[in-house]
Amino acid sequence: MYREATDLAGVRHIAYETLGSTNAEALALARAGERGPLWITAQSQSAGRGRRGNAWISPPGNLYATLLLTEPSAPEHAPQLSFVAALALHDAVAARASQLGPALKVKWPNDLLVGRAKLAGILVEGESDPVFAVAIGIGVNCATHPSDVAYPATDLASNGVLVTPDALMPQLAMSMQQRLAQWGGGRGFAAIRADWLKRAAGLGEVLRVRLSARELAGRFQGLDEAGRLLLAQDNGVTTITAGEVFGIGSQ
């Protein structure tokens, strides 16, 4: 069951009790003719997923949302939406949980941390047929977090912040509209990149990065103009397009 509302920063919103995946639903709607922008939320998911096909545990009490956009930019600029969404999410949580202060950080390429623990994740997916459609999926641990995971996790309640998904969602929608306007379909990515780096976890520290077939270690030097991670190693600087940072502060 679902209800439709129009109160998320002027963007239409469909709220479900449960879904397999808000991202999957958004892309299915795009294939059926929906052109967005449209927010889709669910109280729980039965088939939530993160990056690289990892399952995203989705019990009631946490936030599960996807923003569907069509033709948001030229396709080559669409990966930048991970940084746009991360900033919007940081803005929203910081506004509702100011007591977290500087402990709230973004982790390359698309997570939100409190200290060294993962509070939220972002999954951006796209399809090009029949139109170029992008689903920006966001999951925030408001009330609970998984314990049996590779990267340490946390939730807002465990940090003394009592914010429901319904209370956080309007703030997120407003922050997303502001950051999308700043990004301007890619024209404003330099400003997005600079703002992201101000909030980056592990900048200047030694990181371990898991790639598809190997792991690398080096000092997190920053991002290049396309948002790729710059890892300083003994033999020079390695540019990483896709990977998983899992060892902030490793030696």
Side-chain angles (χ1 to χ4, degrees):
M1 295 183 63
Y2 69 90
R3 58 184 172 83
E4 186 164 342
T6 57
D7 58 353
L8 291 181
V11 175
R12 288 181 300 126
H13 171 212
I14 300 177
Y16 290 85
E17 290 182 4
T18 186
L19 275 177
S21 158
T22 57
N23 265 27
E25 179 68 11
L27 293 174
L29 289 174
R31 290 192 293 271
E34 173 62 55
R35 295 297 174 259
L38 174 69
W39 279 104
I40 297 169
T41 61
Q43 294 177 26
S44 64
Q45 298 181 119
S46 59
R49 60 187 188 272
R51 294 181 69 246
R52 301 190 171 202
N54 294 327
W56 184 272
I57 307 302
S58 308
N62 296 334
L63 184 148
Y64 314 110
T66 294
L67 176 62
L68 172 66
L69 301 173
T70 55
E71 310 290 352
S73 67
E76 60 267 26
H77 296 316
Q80 299 171 2
L81 283 166
S82 287
F83 299 95
V84 176
L87 284 175
L89 182 55
H90 186 286
D91 293 345
V93 174
R96 300 294 306 198
S98 58
Q99 60 267 52
L100 295 179
L104 196 64
K105 297 285 187 179
V106 291
K107 179 171 79 74
W108 187 89
N110 54 11
D111 291 338
L112 186 67
L113 307 182
V114 175
R116 303 297 193 188
K118 182 173 177 175
L119 175 69
I122 297 164
L123 177 64
V124 179
E125 297 181 294
E127 294 183 354
S128 58
D129 186 25
V131 296
F132 178 46
V134 177
I136 305 173
I138 297 172
V140 183
N141 296 331
C142 294
T144 61
H145 66 271
S147 56
D148 186 19
V149 287
Y151 197 93
T154 190
D155 60 75
L156 289 172
S158 296
N159 288 274
V161 180
L162 302 180
V163 180
T164 65
D166 285 346
L168 181 59
M169 192 61 220
Q171 188 75 50
L172 174 60
M174 182 175 67
S175 297
M176 186 69 79
Q177 292 298 94
Q178 292 168 345
R179 289 296 184 177
L180 284 169
Q182 180 188 25
W183 177 60
R187 294 182 300 276
F189 183 64
I192 291 291
R193 173 182 172 274
D195 284 353
W196 189 95
L197 284 168
K198 292 175 185 176
R199 298 156 176 81
L203 188 62
E205 298 181 22
V206 173
L207 306 181
R208 286 185 295 145
V209 184
R210 182 177 293 127
L211 308 180
S212 58
R214 59 187 177 128
E215 293 180 4
L216 298 177
R219 196 166 299 277
F220 180 17
Q221 187 169 297
L223 305 177
D224 71 4
E225 67 282 353
R228 293 171 294 201
L229 186 144
L230 300 175
L231 197 68
Q233 299 179 287
D234 292 340
N235 58 349
V237 177
T238 300
T239 302
I240 300 174
T241 301
E244 188 71 24
V245 172
F246 69 100
I248 295 175
S250 301
Q251 297 296 333

